[in-house]
Structures are given as structure tokens and as C-alpha cells.
Amino acid sequence: MDNSPIAMWNFRGRTLLPVVQGGMGVGVSAGRLAGTVASFGAIGTISSVDLRRLHPDLMERTGSLEGPEAKAQIDAANREALQREIARARDLSQGRGLIAVNVMKALDQYESYVRQALESGADALAVGAGLPLDLPELAKDFPQVALIPILSDARGVQLLVRKWEKKGRLPDAIVIEHPRLAGGHLGAAKIADLGDRRFDFDVVLPDTLAFFRQAGLEDRIPLVAAGGISSRDDILRLQALGASAVQLGTAFAVTCESDASEAFKQVLAGAKPEDLVEFTSVAGLPARAVRTPWLDKYLRLQERMQKAAHAKGHCTLWFDCLAHCGLRDGNAAWGQFCIDKVLGHAHAGDVRKGLFFRGAGRLPFGNQIRPVRDLLQWLVGRLVPAPMEEAAA
């Protein structure tokens, strides 16, 4: 084991643990998880996708709605849920760390969720699943909010930074997510690209830093490496390559404080490498998940369903969660299932019907479900501050 010290992260005037908890929907990383992570001086992230599922009153109001009028009410409920979850995280964090909100660019209500997160007091916005070239305009009235795009290669970084520079804004940080290692939707055009060397950290981090130097941006945009990170040695290796911090998703999804069900956590924690599978999502992106009964059946039927793809009169749930949906729009090259429905089943712990996104890396504690504090101590050791109640004693 490397005994070198792990460097803290000095980010926008705050000294933070060099750990970011990734955003995971539907309902996996909400206020409880994000607030707990932030309470230890790290960045906790709320996923903005369909948060009404965490609020019985909002689900009672919108869960059975149908017809053209349903969408506006569902979207309003989700904005209200996002506001509640940010407030919950803020209360739990007690002023420590930062609260970020993850908003997928691919969402139909992307701009609406961005505005809600800004108005509700998020410290940062993390945006992936597409190039958020418009984020500087959307957040122009909230300069105090950190803007953190999620990208996967140096070419994407260069394109985004050049576009943002023309708008008078630089990213406050950039998450570099490795498609071969991360979970959920992946930052590659197709499954065959997942192993491309340009995504490897020993390529993308030095190449990105070289671009920053050439562009006169050295030391101005910190990089956060994401995908396959499970130990202190991983953090040291990535900091040596130039990353300021790391981001983990699945490892936080299986903590005690994760907002998902215990059954959800057991599926992710119990999955072996051979249980993981890559496929094309209904959002048109490669994705990685655990091969559960629903996914196994879907993959067997996928080719037949794609051949029969046709545009539908309306979204299955009258929700239109995605701006472009393979099932609703009849795009035969994309997935043919309702992603909100199957992710909702997963969040509730329905192992038979759910889609369980998971990263490819090993988990720090194997199949154990442990507290956030244990995970952070495993990653950065004595840098983790005492809980507030201990500090006050």
C-alpha cells in the first residue's frame, strides 16, 4: 500500500475531502445520502430524476394520472420533490461539504430541473448524458453555483471548454467518467467504444491537462475521476495523474444511508463481474447494469422488439421523462422499454421487474452494507471529520 498522503481538495474557497458521491436515479441518491456525504466534508449529489417516488403524497397525487394533462402535474410534483430533497440534504449537512444536483442533459425537463436546483439552493450542478453547452446561460443569474459537466475524453473537454469560454464562463470542475468502469448511462457513442484507450485515465487526464496548459487554463479547472474507484490507492494513483478528486456511485448506493431499498442494495452488493451486462438504453446511450430477471428477458427479446419499433401516440407513463426516447419515438436502434418504470421498480426493491444500474468495479466492502462514514474512512482515512454530534461533545 502507498503510504503517501492524500491531498485534500481546495474547491471554490472550501477545503473538501477529495471524494464526490455520484448522482444515481431513480431515487437512489436523494437528500438523505447527499446530506450525509456532505456532513463529512465531501460533495453529496442528488439525482433529479423522478424524485416524487420518494414522497407518498406526491405519488398519491400523480401516480395514476393519464392523459395530456398528466405531464404538467407530474413535472410540477418532481420539481417540488427536488426542492424538498435539497432542503433535506442541506439540513443533514449542517453547513459542511457541498450539495450538488445531477441533471441529465437527455431529460425532457432538463432546463426546468436546472432552474429548480438553482432556485432551491444547490451548491453545484453536475450535468452529463449529453454536452451541456447551454449551462452557462441557464445559470447566469447564479454565479455562486458551481457548474460541473460530466465528460469522458479530452476531445469532449476541449469542445465544451472552448464553447463555454465564448460565453464568459469556465467549468468549476469537470468529472472525467470512464465508460468501461462506470455504471448507468455511459459516455460513449456505442457499446463497441467502451474499451477505447482514449477513455483510460492515464490517457485522458494527461491529455486534458496538456490542453489546459496550452489554453492558458492550468490549475483553473480541477478534474474529478469517476469509474472503478474502490480504495485509497486508487485515489493516490489518480491524484498522481492530475485528478483533484474522485467520484464514486455504486459504493455509495450500497451504504446504509442510500435512499434506495435494502433489496436494491443487496442486488448491487451481491453482483459478481459475470452478472454485469452492457446494452443500449432507451436514451440511446450504452448502459451497464446487473443481469436480473427483467434485464435477462429484455435482452432475449431486444432484437425482436427493435424490429417492431414504431412511434407511440404517447409516453407509457404520460411523463416523457426523456427528450428523445427509443420506445416512445420508435427509434429501432435504441432501447425498447420504459426506463422510468423499470428504474422505479428497482428503487422499490422489485428484483424481478427492476433495472439495477451498477458500476463495473469491485466494492470496498464486498457484499456488506456499511455506513457512509465507513466508506469515507476506507477511502481517505483520518481526513474524515467526526460527525457533528461528536465534534460538539
Side-chain angles (χ1 to χ4, degrees), residues 45-48 51 78-87 90 99-104 109-127 135 138-139 142 144-147:
T45 306
I46 297 167
S47 172
S48 64
L51 284 167
N78 276 320
R79 290 194 301 274
E80 183 175 345
L82 177 55
Q83 182 172 7
R84 291 182 190 181
E85 293 301 323
I86 292 172
R90 179 78 59 208
I99 304 298
V101 172
N102 178 284
V103 184
M104 292 172 58
Q109 289 295 298
Y110 158 70
E111 291 188 15
S112 175
Y113 288 164
V114 165
R115 284 194 298 271
Q116 187 65 62
L118 291 167
E119 292 168 3
S120 296
D123 296 310
L125 285 174
V127 180
L135 195 54
L138 294 175
F142 297 85
Q144 77 281 9
V145 178
L147 305 183

Side-chain angles (χ1 to χ4, degrees), residues 74-393:
I74 293 171
D75 290 338
N78 276 320
R79 290 194 301 274
E80 183 175 345
L82 177 55
Q83 182 172 7
R84 291 182 190 181
E85 293 301 323
I86 292 172
R88 184 185 189 193
R90 179 78 59 208
D91 184 59
L92 285 170
S93 71
Q94 300 180 70
R96 284 180 171 176
L98 296 176
I99 304 298
V101 172
N102 178 284
V103 184
M104 292 172 58
K105 185 70 169 69
L107 293 177
D108 175 73
Q109 289 295 298
Y110 158 70
E111 291 188 15
S112 175
Y113 288 164
V114 165
R115 284 194 298 271
Q116 187 65 62
L118 291 167
E119 292 168 3
S120 296
D123 296 310
L125 285 174
V127 180
L131 280 173
L133 300 181
D134 57 352
L135 195 54
E137 291 101 326
L138 294 175
K140 68 180 185 301
D141 294 330
F142 297 85
Q144 77 281 9
V145 178
L147 305 183
I148 307 175
I150 303 170
L151 303 165
S152 290
D153 64 13
R155 287 181 293 184
V157 171
Q158 183 166 344
L159 171 62
L160 181 135
V161 169
R162 290 301 193 199
K163 295 284 189 181
W164 280 30
E165 272 189 310
K166 294 176 181 177
K167 302 169 192 273
R169 182 77 192 250
L170 291 174
D172 293 281
I174 296 175
V175 173
I176 303 291
E177 188 173 80
H178 198 313
R180 184 170 50 80
L181 301 171
H185 290 105
L186 308 171
K190 52 186 183 293
I191 294 172
D193 293 340
L194 296 179
D196 194 307
R197 269 285 287 160
R198 77 179 190 274
F199 298 128
D200 289 346
F201 291 132
D202 63 349
V203 173
V204 63
L205 293 176
D207 284 357
T208 298
L209 293 172
F211 160 63
F212 288 165
R213 285 192 295 273
Q214 174 267 323
L217 300 173
E218 190 170 13
D219 299 325
R220 293 186 63 185
I221 306 174
L223 301 178
V224 180
I229 296 146
S230 64
S231 69
R232 181 179 186 277
D233 284 350
D234 289 336
I235 298 176
L236 288 169
R237 173 175 57 85
L238 291 164
Q239 286 191 334
L241 286 170
S244 297
V246 299
Q247 176 176 288
L248 296 85
T250 305
F252 281 107
V254 300
T255 58
C256 298
E257 295 90 350
S258 164
D259 292 274
S261 66
E262 288 305 306
F264 177 97
K265 299 172 190 180
Q266 293 295 344
V267 168
L268 267 62
K272 299 178 175 60
E274 59 268 25
D275 297 327
L276 304 184
V277 62
E278 291 85 35
F279 60 100
T280 300
S281 165
V282 69
L285 298 167
R288 177 172 294 110
V290 181
R291 187 188 286 271
T292 48
W294 175 83
L295 184 53
D296 193 49
K297 181 179 180 181
Y298 170 74
L299 292 174
R300 291 198 306 270
L301 299 175
Q302 177 179 247
E303 185 175 354
R304 187 191 313 172
M305 296 174 72
Q306 288 177 323
K307 286 180 179 178
H310 62 281
K312 311 298 188 296
H314 61 81
C315 161
T316 302
L317 298 179
W318 298 93
F319 176 25
D320 294 306
C321 63
L322 295 170
H324 303 285
C325 167
L327 178 64
R328 181 196 63 212
D329 302 338
N331 188 331
W334 293 12
Q336 297 296 308
F337 57 90
C338 176
I339 192 166
D340 188 73
K341 181 185 291 184
V342 292
L343 288 177
H345 287 318
H347 172 263
D350 190 331
V351 178
R352 188 172 58 88
K353 297 180 181 178
L355 170 61
F356 294 78
F357 284 145
R358 188 195 191 281
R362 66 183 180 87
L363 293 174
F365 303 121
N367 62 4
Q368 297 179 42
I369 310 300
R370 301 272 287 272
V372 162
R373 186 183 188 186
D374 288 3
L375 174 59
L376 290 173
Q377 286 183 326
W378 169 259
L379 293 170
V380 299
R382 295 179 182 176
L383 295 179
V384 179
M388 285 293 187
E389 59 271 17
E390 290 184 16

